Each structure stands twice: as C-alpha cells, then as structure tokens.
Amino acid sequence: MVLFIFSFTIQAANYGGELNIKLQQRPINLNPIYAANKAEKIISQQIFDSLVTLNAEGELIPNLAKTWEINNQARVFRFKLRENIYFHPFQINGALSSLSKRRVTAADWKWSLEYLAASENKSPYANLLNKVKGYEEYRQGRSKEISGIKILDDYLLEIELKESYAPFIYNLTENAAVVLPEQAVLNNSKFFMEPIGTGAFVLNNFNPDQIILKKFDNYWKNNYRKERLPYLDRIKIDFSANESEIKEYHNYDIYQLSSELYQKYSELEKTDNYQLKKTAENIYYYLGYNYNSSLKKVISDQNIKEYLRNSLNEINLEQNDDLLSFIFPFQYSKEASYIDQINNLVKKNNDNNLKDEAYPEQLNLVSNDSKNNKVIADLIKNELQDKKIKLNLSQFSWSEYLNLIKSKDFK
C-alpha cells in the first residue's frame, strides 16, 4: 500500500495493536524442520531465528550470531553468539522453565543442527548440512554426533566442512536451520502444534481456522533507532475455508489472493487501460493520496486524481501466485469527461507557458519499508517522471507508517 501526500508530520513509533492477515493455505506442521507450505514458512519466521540472515538487498548479515569468521580455505566457520537470547517460555513436567534455563548457548545450536540432520527425523531439509564433517557418519548411525559441529565455549560455535565451500554459510539462513530448545522438543509430542523458538512472536493459539501470535517480551532485537521490537501486540492469521469468503477482505490488513483470483485479475489487466481497477470479486489494489496546494483554485481534486490515474496506466507488476497484497476499496469513475478536461487544460496551459499551474510538478510518496513496496514505488516514480512529475520517496518502519496515516495531520 502506498499513499501520495503533500505534507506530513511523524511522531515517535507507537507500540501495540493487532495485524489481521488472511492466508489461503492452512499450516499443518509448525516444527521448522518440516515446514513446507508458504503459510508454515511465514509463521515459522515469526517464531524462530537463524544464526545469520539476509537483508532486503540479499546481503548476509548477523542474526543470533553476533559475528563470524571463515578461515582462508573456506572450510571452518566460527560464530560468536549473542549472549542475551532466550527461548520462549515453556513447561517441563508442569513447571515453567526459568529464564536462566532458557538462555541460548552453543550447546543448543549443536543439538538443533543435529536434530535437523538426524535420519530418524526425516526432515526434507537435512541436506542443508551434508557438507559438514561427520554428517554421513551421523546419518548412518556410526557416530552419535556430527563431529564437525563443535562447542568451543558457551557462546562460540564452530562448524567444519569436509572440504572448502564458501557458500555453505547461506544454508544457515534457511527456515529449517534455527535453534530449538531440546527439553521442549523431546518432552512435547505436540511440538509441531506448540512450537517454541526465540523469535519476535510466541504462539498463543493454533486451531484449524486461525493462529494467534503474541509478542515475545524478552525478544533480543532492536531496530536501527534502538527501539524495542516487535511493535505489534498480536498477529492474527485466518485461513480461507472457501472462495466465498473473499467478500470479507475489508476485515483484514493483508489478504492473500488465491492463484485463480490473481490470474483472473491479471487477465483483466490485459484488456483494461487502467490498472488500479477492481475485479468482478470486488478486489482492489489501493492507491490513495493527499493533495494540497493553491492549484485547487485552478483544478478540482477530482481532476488531479484523474490525471494521476491516467499517468499510471502503463505500470505492470510481475505475476506471483503467493502475492500478499494490501487490499482496500478504491472508487474509479469511467467518465471520460474528467480525463478530457484535465488533458485539455494541460494542453492549454502548456501553450501559455503555465504548465506549473496545470498539475503538480512534485509529490511525496510515502510507504512502509518493505522490499516489495520499494519496487512498486520505483515503478510509480518512473511513470510519473515521464509526465514531468518529480516524486520524492520516503519509507518508514511499519509502526511509524501506521502512526503517520492515523495521525490528525494526515487527511
């Protein structure tokens, strides 16, 4: 979702609130070494953490490992672990585990990686570790451990490969290569429905139609402003029972289109000269803006809207069956008189050297800081640039963004 605005103010990030999501697929198994469908992976990413991860630019960055070193032969990887990482609360024999017993150490990482690789667990992701020294012996039962995974001290973990292979570290960014609490896994036969991790959110409720995640109060991570994460109190995820529920899209912040509906929308695009248009099922892409200037005396707001719509005709987004779209209602008038009026006025003012009074030469584009929104914003920027409209892009964190659009200064 992107919004055009002319001016705005932003306050400090607010905390709290609930994010409501509708996904098409139902999760079956939330144990990360088995998570297979898109829904399971999306949820697992909120509950579990990896040693290292990738940023929006695809660059490798620290996560639960504070730093790492790779030897000259790209065969030995040594990870310095963060010391303030805790597992979510869990019970053993009816008693809640203490905070000290939930602190994550190198021993937890060794156990977790061996749990992933164990042949009896039959994880489809076990081969992420197949280049580690001792992997085959462990898989075949000839060794009780993977010899290449070593605990050097409580917060120093070493992984040695059978041979040089620098890209191995990228295997450790995968959803299955996360840390798990041994006691919680081995003492709970329902771990696949009651997962325990170190992530930003704790599983609060899991039933066939809905999952509720609540924020983890002991989560380790801060944002670039050193503000405590996560911002949200809860994430509620519903799962579609049938296509008729598409009518309920307005109840959600994020609604995942089925591949069939997305295909129908894509086909409609090919025959329509205006992309921001509803499908037969009343599904919309949303583009809102707040325009404010003395031009109101020259051109009505409706004319400005029509000009912006007309300027964005050529935007095409790549099809993606797993698209997560922000869906909101958007009214569109097919009356050609507005477009004709604005085009005639632009032509007249261009002829009179008064182009700057015909339509805005500069707008601000504001969005949250997701990678997908940046791609869409760049597409919009390029389209408007062809119309001689300069676009200034500002991106904010999720909480800042919500605070902005809800503020009294935003109209």
Side-chain angles (χ1 to χ4, degrees), residues 155-167:
Y155 301 102
L156 196 60
L157 179 73
E158 184 176 280
I159 300 178
E160 182 182 355
L161 307 185
K162 293 176 284 188
E163 56 188 25
S164 299
Y165 186 67

PDB file of all heavy atoms in Angstrom, residues 155-167:
ATOM      1  N   TYR A 155      29.377 -19.522  24.141  1.00  0.00           N
ATOM      2  CA  TYR A 155      28.907 -18.601  23.113  1.00  0.00           C
ATOM      3  C   TYR A 155      29.825 -18.576  21.894  1.00  0.00           C
ATOM      4  O   TYR A 155      29.915 -17.575  21.190  1.00  0.00           O
ATOM      5  CB  TYR A 155      28.730 -17.196  23.704  1.00  0.00           C
ATOM      6  CG  TYR A 155      27.740 -17.201  24.841  1.00  0.00           C
ATOM      7  CD1 TYR A 155      28.172 -17.157  26.167  1.00  0.00           C
ATOM      8  CD2 TYR A 155      26.378 -17.305  24.594  1.00  0.00           C
ATOM      9  CE1 TYR A 155      27.264 -17.205  27.213  1.00  0.00           C
ATOM     10  CE2 TYR A 155      25.464 -17.361  25.636  1.00  0.00           C
ATOM     11  CZ  TYR A 155      25.905 -17.307  26.939  1.00  0.00           C
ATOM     12  OH  TYR A 155      25.003 -17.366  27.963  1.00  0.00           O
ATOM     13  N   LEU A 156      30.485 -19.706  21.667  1.00  0.00           N
ATOM     14  CA  LEU A 156      31.354 -19.817  20.497  1.00  0.00           C
ATOM     15  C   LEU A 156      31.106 -21.170  19.838  1.00  0.00           C
ATOM     16  O   LEU A 156      31.371 -22.215  20.412  1.00  0.00           O
ATOM     17  CB  LEU A 156      32.821 -19.673  20.899  1.00  0.00           C
ATOM     18  CG  LEU A 156      33.815 -19.386  19.778  1.00  0.00           C
ATOM     19  CD1 LEU A 156      33.467 -18.083  19.065  1.00  0.00           C
ATOM     20  CD2 LEU A 156      35.238 -19.312  20.337  1.00  0.00           C
ATOM     21  N   LEU A 157      30.569 -21.128  18.625  1.00  0.00           N
ATOM     22  CA  LEU A 157      30.202 -22.334  17.882  1.00  0.00           C
ATOM     23  C   LEU A 157      31.063 -22.428  16.627  1.00  0.00           C
ATOM     24  O   LEU A 157      31.273 -21.429  15.932  1.00  0.00           O
ATOM     25  CB  LEU A 157      28.727 -22.277  17.485  1.00  0.00           C
ATOM     26  CG  LEU A 157      28.176 -23.445  16.670  1.00  0.00           C
ATOM     27  CD1 LEU A 157      28.025 -24.683  17.554  1.00  0.00           C
ATOM     28  CD2 LEU A 157      26.829 -23.077  16.039  1.00  0.00           C
ATOM     29  N   GLU A 158      31.551 -23.634  16.334  1.00  0.00           N
ATOM     30  CA  GLU A 158      32.372 -23.834  15.140  1.00  0.00           C
ATOM     31  C   GLU A 158      31.770 -24.941  14.275  1.00  0.00           C
ATOM     32  O   GLU A 158      31.325 -25.974  14.783  1.00  0.00           O
ATOM     33  CB  GLU A 158      33.801 -24.203  15.525  1.00  0.00           C
ATOM     34  CG  GLU A 158      34.746 -24.345  14.332  1.00  0.00           C
ATOM     35  CD  GLU A 158      36.169 -24.626  14.764  1.00  0.00           C
ATOM     36  OE1 GLU A 158      36.858 -23.655  15.154  1.00  0.00           O
ATOM     37  OE2 GLU A 158      36.576 -25.805  14.737  1.00  0.00           O
ATOM     38  N   ILE A 159      31.737 -24.691  12.967  1.00  0.00           N
ATOM     39  CA  ILE A 159      31.269 -25.694  12.011  1.00  0.00           C
ATOM     40  C   ILE A 159      32.376 -25.923  10.987  1.00  0.00           C
ATOM     41  O   ILE A 159      32.791 -24.989  10.293  1.00  0.00           O
ATOM     42  CB  ILE A 159      29.974 -25.246  11.299  1.00  0.00           C
ATOM     43  CG1 ILE A 159      28.860 -25.003  12.328  1.00  0.00           C
ATOM     44  CG2 ILE A 159      29.538 -26.291  10.277  1.00  0.00           C
ATOM     45  CD1 ILE A 159      27.563 -24.509  11.731  1.00  0.00           C
ATOM     46  N   GLU A 160      32.846 -27.177  10.927  1.00  0.00           N
ATOM     47  CA  GLU A 160      33.918 -27.536   9.996  1.00  0.00           C
ATOM     48  C   GLU A 160      33.345 -28.396   8.865  1.00  0.00           C
ATOM     49  O   GLU A 160      32.602 -29.352   9.110  1.00  0.00           O
ATOM     50  CB  GLU A 160      35.025 -28.297  10.727  1.00  0.00           C
ATOM     51  CG  GLU A 160      36.192 -28.672   9.823  1.00  0.00           C
ATOM     52  CD  GLU A 160      37.267 -29.458  10.547  1.00  0.00           C
ATOM     53  OE1 GLU A 160      37.143 -29.636  11.781  1.00  0.00           O
ATOM     54  OE2 GLU A 160      38.221 -29.914   9.878  1.00  0.00           O
ATOM     55  N   LEU A 161      33.688 -28.054   7.632  1.00  0.00           N
ATOM     56  CA  LEU A 161      33.206 -28.797   6.472  1.00  0.00           C
ATOM     57  C   LEU A 161      34.191 -29.890   6.068  1.00  0.00           C
ATOM     58  O   LEU A 161      35.358 -29.876   6.466  1.00  0.00           O
ATOM     59  CB  LEU A 161      32.983 -27.849   5.297  1.00  0.00           C
ATOM     60  CG  LEU A 161      32.093 -26.622   5.547  1.00  0.00           C
ATOM     61  CD1 LEU A 161      31.877 -25.847   4.240  1.00  0.00           C
ATOM     62  CD2 LEU A 161      30.762 -26.999   6.175  1.00  0.00           C
ATOM     63  N   LYS A 162      33.705 -30.818   5.251  1.00  0.00           N
ATOM     64  CA  LYS A 162      34.579 -31.878   4.734  1.00  0.00           C
ATOM     65  C   LYS A 162      35.581 -31.317   3.736  1.00  0.00           C
ATOM     66  O   LYS A 162      36.709 -31.809   3.609  1.00  0.00           O
ATOM     67  CB  LYS A 162      33.730 -32.968   4.063  1.00  0.00           C
ATOM     68  CG  LYS A 162      32.858 -33.751   5.033  1.00  0.00           C
ATOM     69  CD  LYS A 162      31.980 -34.751   4.320  1.00  0.00           C
ATOM     70  CE  LYS A 162      30.803 -34.085   3.650  1.00  0.00           C
ATOM     71  NZ  LYS A 162      29.817 -35.054   3.113  1.00  0.00           N
ATOM     72  N   GLU A 163      35.180 -30.277   3.024  1.00  0.00           N
ATOM     73  CA  GLU A 163      36.061 -29.640   2.049  1.00  0.00           C
ATOM     74  C   GLU A 163      35.637 -28.186   1.893  1.00  0.00           C
ATOM     75  O   GLU A 163      34.565 -27.785   2.368  1.00  0.00           O
ATOM     76  CB  GLU A 163      35.980 -30.359   0.699  1.00  0.00           C
ATOM     77  CG  GLU A 163      34.575 -30.453   0.154  1.00  0.00           C
ATOM     78  CD  GLU A 163      34.480 -31.330  -1.078  1.00  0.00           C
ATOM     79  OE1 GLU A 163      35.334 -32.223  -1.243  1.00  0.00           O
ATOM     80  OE2 GLU A 163      33.540 -31.130  -1.871  1.00  0.00           O
ATOM     81  N   SER A 164      36.465 -27.406   1.243  1.00  0.00           N
ATOM     82  CA  SER A 164      36.186 -25.981   1.093  1.00  0.00           C
ATOM     83  C   SER A 164      34.871 -25.753   0.360  1.00  0.00           C
ATOM     84  O   SER A 164      34.619 -26.357  -0.687  1.00  0.00           O
ATOM     85  CB  SER A 164      37.324 -25.305   0.315  1.00  0.00           C
ATOM     86  OG  SER A 164      38.535 -25.435   1.021  1.00  0.00           O
ATOM     87  N   TYR A 165      34.046 -24.843   0.930  1.00  0.00           N
ATOM     88  CA  TYR A 165      32.800 -24.491   0.274  1.00  0.00           C
ATOM     89  C   TYR A 165      32.255 -23.208   0.921  1.00  0.00           C
ATOM     90  O   TYR A 165      31.462 -23.239   1.845  1.00  0.00           O
ATOM     91  CB  TYR A 165      31.774 -25.622   0.374  1.00  0.00           C
ATOM     92  CG  TYR A 165      30.512 -25.364  -0.418  1.00  0.00           C
ATOM     93  CD1 TYR A 165      30.541 -25.309  -1.811  1.00  0.00           C
ATOM     94  CD2 TYR A 165      29.295 -25.178   0.230  1.00  0.00           C
ATOM     95  CE1 TYR A 165      29.378 -25.072  -2.539  1.00  0.00           C
ATOM     96  CE2 TYR A 165      28.126 -24.946  -0.489  1.00  0.00           C
ATOM     97  CZ  TYR A 165      28.188 -24.889  -1.871  1.00  0.00           C
ATOM     98  OH  TYR A 165      27.041 -24.654  -2.599  1.00  0.00           O
ATOM     99  N   ALA A 166      32.685 -22.049   0.401  1.00  0.00           N
ATOM    100  CA  ALA A 166      32.315 -20.759   0.984  1.00  0.00           C
ATOM    101  C   ALA A 166      30.810 -20.511   1.021  1.00  0.00           C
ATOM    102  O   ALA A 166      30.300 -19.929   1.996  1.00  0.00           O
ATOM    103  CB  ALA A 166      33.030 -19.633   0.228  1.00  0.00           C
ATOM    104  N   PRO A 167      30.019 -20.908  -0.001  1.00  0.00           N
ATOM    105  CA  PRO A 167      28.573 -20.624   0.028  1.00  0.00           C
ATOM    106  C   PRO A 167      27.801 -21.372   1.117  1.00  0.00           C
ATOM    107  O   PRO A 167      26.612 -21.118   1.302  1.00  0.00           O
ATOM    108  CB  PRO A 167      28.092 -21.077  -1.365  1.00  0.00           C
ATOM    109  CG  PRO A 167      29.303 -21.063  -2.220  1.00  0.00           C
ATOM    110  CD  PRO A 167      30.429 -21.455  -1.316  1.00  0.00           C
TER     111      PRO A 167
END
